[in-house]
Amino acid sequence: MNAPVKLTAAEEALIAHFGDRLNDLPGNGDTIMARDQAIQALKENGLPTRKVEAWHYTDLRRLLSAVPGGS
């Protein structure tokens, strides 16, 4: 069993922002289910880092800067 991931302030802000905007997001049942699974994965694992090979060259700082409270 893995230890719980300590989320960064940016990850916490992203999750909070998602919750604030949840009622404004479009989508049907399948979209809502996929979105819920994605946010749950974020809560459990945090955002991928550059140590994860598939995300090695992805810089999420630019995306997070658009989120209130993001770094």
Side-chain angles (χ1 to χ4, degrees):
M1 185 164 138
N2 293 339
V5 172
K6 177 155 175 33
L7 299 176
T8 65
E11 291 164 334
E12 292 284 354
L14 184 62
I15 292 167
H17 185 67
F18 171 79
D20 293 343
R21 300 294 310 259
L22 189 57
N23 293 329
D24 300 330
L25 298 173
N28 59 21
D30 291 339
T31 302
I32 293 168
M33 187 183 319
R35 189 182 295 136
D36 289 346
Q37 290 172 346
I39 202 69
Q40 187 60 38
L42 173 61
K43 289 176 181 178
E44 292 173 3
N45 304 310
L47 290 170
T49 66
R50 291 178 186 247
K51 292 180 182 179
V52 178
E53 187 62 31
W55 288 87
H56 187 79
Y57 294 106
T58 304
D59 187 358
L60 297 174
R61 289 177 293 185
R62 188 152 116 213
L63 293 173
L64 288 175
S65 66
V67 176
S71 338

